[in-house]
Amino acid sequence: GRFLVSVKTLFVCIGLAPQLAEAQKPNVSIAVFDALSDARITESKCATGKFREGRCFADHDRITVAVAALIAIADFNQRNGSTIQQFASNGIRACDKIVSFAGLWDTRSSRLEALRKYFEISRLDVLIGPTRSDTASTIAPVLGLTSTPIIAASTTAPTLSSENRYPNFMRTVPSDEAVAYATCELLRAELNVTKLAVIHVTDPFGSGYADALRQRCDFGGQRSLQQLNDIAAGGVGVSRTSFPG
């Protein structure tokens, strides 16, 4: 199926990468951090056959992240646009950089694991990922100490937009500030909702989205969103609001 095709493509790209590195010495090292597994999920809550080595693994499709990265790197180094047409442009051809792939690292959905993986890499010029906001908010300041760029594609916590706290952090997905605004507009203007409750995890992603809803759903009226105490040991928060008017 798609997994076997992805694995074959991955092996082809891995075989190609050393040849490119031998022909031209790489001078930009890129690593990918992804949450391929989650140690917080117990076996009883994990999909059948996905629980191994004490953690729950994601679907096989997640390996396409590594495949895409390797294909893009190979295409960039060859400058022929075989996969990404823009890599054959005059601007890219004029670039004197050669990229090497430092590896795909499983953060296990853990901030501490992400830090440990980072310190295992001998050289890193650019980090792609991680995929979770709480992990990104932990590792981004560390990379900021060495001015190492970090580019994420799925971390949406509004707090990551702070250029002072995360000067080297970039993302290719909008902040939850924009999502919260659209949500409040839909609930109020289209669905005539006057009261709202939000159940969320108390991490940078969940709390950040709840805070954004608190701000965006208060359209000029008196703030009425009340943050309740955390419920359950797992860190789940409940927020509720009434729209002005």
Side-chain angles (χ1 to χ4, degrees):
R2 285 182 298 171
F3 175 61
L4 292 178
V5 173
S6 298
V7 170
K8 290 179 181 178
T9 307
L10 177 62
F11 286 145
V12 169
C13 290
I14 290 176
L16 179 60
Q19 297 176 20
L20 293 172
E22 186 176 352
Q24 298 173 297
K25 292 183 179 180
N27 49 20
V28 176
S29 176
I30 295 179
V32 176
F33 276 20
D34 196 1
L36 300 177
S37 63
D38 195 331
R40 303 169 304 171
I41 300 178
T42 61
E43 184 173 6
S44 61
K45 296 181 179 179
C46 186
T48 303
K50 300 292 186 181
F51 195 84
R52 304 187 303 274
E53 302 174 8
R55 58 189 191 275
C56 185
F57 280 80
D59 292 335
H60 293 315
D61 286 347
R62 295 298 288 271
I63 200 172
T64 57
V65 174
V67 174
L70 285 167
I71 291 176
I73 289 173
D75 204 32
F76 177 84
N77 289 338
Q78 291 177 332
R79 310 290 205 276
N80 60 14
S82 60
T83 303
I84 302 174
Q85 197 172 32
Q86 289 83 351
F87 284 171
S89 66
N90 292 332
I92 296 297
R93 287 178 178 272
C95 179
D96 61 350
K97 303 299 182 184
I98 299 299
V99 177
S100 65
F101 187 53
L104 171 67
W105 303 82
D106 180 13
T107 63
R108 303 184 182 184
S109 304
S110 165
R111 293 174 288 181
L112 293 179
E113 183 67 16
L115 286 172
R116 188 178 72 83
K117 295 295 186 184
Y118 166 68
F119 288 114
E120 286 181 358
I121 303 175
S122 58
R123 177 193 168 191
L124 179 63
D125 297 310
V126 179
L127 176 64
I128 307 298
T131 53
R132 293 177 54 86
S133 293
D134 60 343
T135 307
S137 63
T138 299
I139 198 171
V142 178
L143 271 69
L145 296 175
T146 56
S147 299
T148 302
I150 172 173
I151 306 173
S154 60
T155 52
T156 56
T159 53
L160 290 168
S161 297
S162 172
E163 294 184 3
N164 293 328
R165 296 177 61 184
Y166 311 107
N168 297 95
F169 177 82
M170 295 165 277
R171 53 185 166 193
T172 59
V173 63
S175 162
D176 279 331
E177 286 278 357
V179 178
Y181 177 79
T183 299
C184 292
E185 285 288 332
L186 173 66
L187 293 175
R188 181 182 177 184
E190 301 294 334
L191 302 180
N192 297 318
V193 173
T194 58
K195 293 184 179 181
L196 173 68
V198 182
I199 300 177
H200 60 89
V201 293
T202 52
D203 63 6
F205 166 67
S207 297
Y209 184 50
D211 289 340
L213 285 172
R214 177 188 298 113
Q215 297 172 9
R216 295 298 183 181
C217 288
D218 186 25
F219 297 104
Q222 182 177 2
R223 177 168 295 181
S224 54
L225 181 65
Q226 178 181 359
Q227 178 73 44
L228 304 182
N229 293 330
D230 288 354
I231 59 174
V236 178
V238 179
S239 301
R240 64 186 179 190
T241 186
S242 297
F243 289 100

